Amino acid sequence: MKSREQTESKILEAVASIVECDGFEKLGINTIALKANVYKMLIYRYFGGLEELVARFIMQKDYWANTDTLILNPHSVGDSIKSMFRNQIEQLRTDVTLRRLCRWELSCHNASIDRLRDKREENGCNLIKVVSRLTGCSNSEVASLASILSASISYLALIEDQCPTYNGIALQTDKGWEQIAQGVDMIVDLWIKSIQEGKN
């Protein structure tokens, strides 16, 4: 790995560490430089400044902004969709920094968040178009289903720390989340079945 790539990686790792421990509110050029053990000028040289660095960091962390349409297998669309939502659950549950990012996004407004939302929206719409083409359903139908499922998963993951039980489901356990994942699977299976029955 080249020297610049190593330094950029150290800086981004420092951002992740600070966010995980203290949240986005504690981010600052001095704090990041100290944590990464680099000169402040390198952050400006490689990223342009704090806002650009934060934008780069959150862009690489967001699940839906980085989900590739290639994940959708034309021969098993339903399984591909279920896999996407299970991956969302896994990433939100295991990545403290991502959960902090989601909470931060809900609590403030700035250019970095605008860029993230634009990227997520662009990528999400591309995924919806591909699913629509593969299933023969309208974009609006796919978008409605995707929005309900992804938003539900995000909400439950974000309240997990403060809300141990939701509708009798133990949110702080793997068993509880497997129950939720199976519920998502069931919804997707029923939707795919209704499409197949409509074609017969």
Side-chain angles (χ1 to χ4, degrees), residues 52-101:
E52 293 85 351
L53 171 57
V54 171
R56 168 100 166 263
F57 173 74
I58 64 177
M59 201 70 74
Q60 73 178 22
K61 293 296 290 183
D62 187 82
Y63 177 71
W64 290 112
N66 293 292
T67 301
D68 199 307
T69 55
L70 293 175
I71 196 174
L72 292 163
N73 185 338
H75 305 294
S76 56
V77 181
D79 288 340
S80 298
I81 294 170
K82 289 186 288 187
S83 178
M84 280 196 298
F85 287 118
R86 281 182 174 267
N87 289 343
Q88 182 192 8
I89 290 171
E90 177 69 15
Q91 191 169 348
L92 276 168
R93 288 207 70 217
T94 58
D95 193 333
V96 174
T97 309
L98 179 58
R99 291 200 303 276
R100 283 188 180 270
L101 163 60

Side-chain angles (χ1 to χ4, degrees), residues 23-37:
F24 279 87
E25 298 78 9
K26 299 294 183 181
L27 286 177
I29 292 292
N30 291 335
T31 310
I32 296 166
L34 185 64
K35 186 76 174 178
N37 195 27

Side-chain angles (χ1 to χ4, degrees), residues 15 17 58 85 163 166 185-186 191 197:
V15 172
S17 177
I58 64 177
F85 287 118
C163 180
Y166 192 93
D185 289 350
M186 180 177 64
W191 180 61
E197 289 175 348

Side-chain angles (χ1 to χ4, degrees), residues 122-166:
E122 177 187 0
N123 207 47
C125 287
N126 287 337
L127 286 165
I128 286 165
K129 286 175 185 174
V130 174
V131 173
S132 176
R133 177 173 52 80
L134 293 174
T135 60
C137 293
S138 67
N139 279 5
S140 60
E141 181 177 330
V142 177
S144 297
L145 181 68
S147 298
I148 291 166
L149 293 178
S150 63
S152 299
I153 291 167
S154 294
Y155 174 74
L156 292 172
L158 293 181
I159 67 167
E160 176 183 339
D161 293 337
Q162 290 78 32
C163 180
T165 307
Y166 192 93

Side-chain angles (χ1 to χ4, degrees), residues 5 14 41 44 48 50 62 72 109-110 115 122 128-129 139 145 151 155 157 172 176 182 190 200:
E5 292 173 341
M41 67 177 188
Y44 290 104
L50 181 61
D62 187 82
L72 292 163
H109 180 265
N110 58 46
R115 274 181 273 181
E122 177 187 0
I128 286 165
K129 286 175 185 174
N139 279 5
L145 181 68
Y155 174 74
Q172 295 175 348
Q182 287 176 7
L190 289 170
N200 295 333

